[in-house]
Amino acid sequence: MSSTRTLISPATLARPRGKALYWTVFTGVLLLFTLAFLFPVYWMVTGALKSPDEVTRTPPTLVPTHWHLSAYTDAWDLMQLPQHLWNTFVQAAGAWACQLVFCTAAAYALSRLRPAFGKVILGGILATLMVPAQALVVPKYLTVADLPLIHTSLLNDPLAIWLPAAANAFNLYLLKRFFDQIPRDVLEAAEIDGAGKLRTLWSIVLPMSRPVLGVVSIFALVAVWQDFLWPLMVFSDTDEQPISVALVQLSQNIQLTVLVAAMVIASIPMVALFLVFQRHIIAGISAGSTKG
């Protein structure tokens, strides 16, 4: 019979004093972490509701003395947020689609098709994780500025974001590890029923992989949404820039409250995405730690 070891023994928790102390400490820690995570969000949202003088006042005010909603409307119009949010959506959606297609296909091939030198190929892919991202910026830029063989420039084109995002070694490895855990009996049953490799992937593997596909999707979208250096290099045209670059480029001669309001608006899509798909994220993380 195995015993569970915890910081507080079951006997101590059974006593009224021990139970009260446990819940007091637990509630205090929970409130502390909640405050640490939510207070910056509250400070940013309310900062845009203050006047320009109040937002720079020392000592700062926790609650705006006078509520000003004009900063959000000014940010929406002056900083052309609809256009730049749409640019970001197009770039993130294309990168997500390319990454799912290519990473899923490569992971399935390495996991189930067992190609020759598959372990060597996987090792080479994982070796790229040890290369600093900054060291790849110049080679990537030279590649998209003059695409090999066809000699076409992808600058100021969403393909400059989509194609590099498709080669994501971490997400590929995450998918491969999940595919390795799929029971072989399920795949053999599909083969007995006459399903080919592609049909097995589409009808069996992908429906079973929804949790990990959700996690990969979140990683792909957030990576593009928050990226700054690479879009800054490939999008010299202001009208094509994503929101992360536009906030910096258009922040000149803009009031601080308007800039803060623009940051709040820019962060809403990612916060909403997390709140909607948080169950899939947790399920995907836990799915990678168990064997099916």
Side-chain angles (χ1 to χ4, degrees), residues 87-97 99 158 160-166 168 217-231 235 242-245 270:
N87 294 340
T88 310
F89 173 78
V90 171
Q91 297 167 19
W96 164 76
Q99 198 166 128
I161 302 294
W162 298 353
L163 296 182
N168 190 300
S217 299
I218 295 294
F219 287 165
L221 292 173
V222 171
V224 176
W225 201 274
Q226 70 180 5
D227 195 11
F228 173 77
L229 178 60
W230 181 243
F235 288 106
I243 190 68
S244 59
V245 178
M270 288 295 99

Side-chain angles (χ1 to χ4, degrees), residues 260-272:
V260 173
M263 293 179 181
V264 173
I265 296 174
S267 63
I268 289 176
M270 288 295 99
V271 175

Side-chain angles (χ1 to χ4, degrees), residues 54-200:
E54 185 181 1
V55 76
T56 57
R57 183 184 303 173
T58 302
T61 56
L62 290 177
V63 180
T65 306
H66 301 285
W67 299 78
H68 301 273
L69 297 175
S70 59
Y72 286 97
T73 57
D74 292 342
W76 187 261
D77 296 330
L78 295 177
M79 304 192 73
Q80 303 174 352
L81 292 186
Q83 178 180 354
H84 296 295
L85 284 171
W86 173 252
N87 294 340
T88 310
F89 173 78
V90 171
Q91 297 167 19
W96 164 76
C98 290
Q99 198 166 128
L100 276 191
V101 171
F102 291 106
C103 288
T104 300
Y108 180 72
L110 292 172
S111 174
R112 293 301 177 182
L113 302 185
R114 311 286 183 179
F117 306 106
K119 293 184 178 180
V120 176
I121 296 173
L122 179 62
I125 293 174
L126 296 179
T128 61
L129 294 175
M130 295 182 286
V131 180
Q134 294 80 2
L136 300 175
V137 169
V138 174
K140 282 200 304 183
Y141 181 82
L142 296 177
T143 301
V144 299
D146 185 14
L147 206 62
L149 299 179
I150 59 177
H151 300 290
T152 301
S153 176
L154 298 181
L155 299 180
N156 294 313
D157 192 307
L159 285 172
I161 302 294
W162 298 353
L163 296 182
N168 190 300
F170 176 77
N171 285 343
L172 188 151
Y173 181 71
L174 193 65
L175 288 166
K176 180 188 178 300
R177 290 295 300 167
F178 189 90
F179 293 161
D180 289 342
Q181 296 174 3
I182 295 178
R184 183 174 296 275
D185 296 343
V186 176
L187 303 180
E188 290 178 351
E191 292 180 3
I192 294 174
D193 290 339
K197 299 296 183 183
L198 186 60
R199 180 63 183 273
T200 302

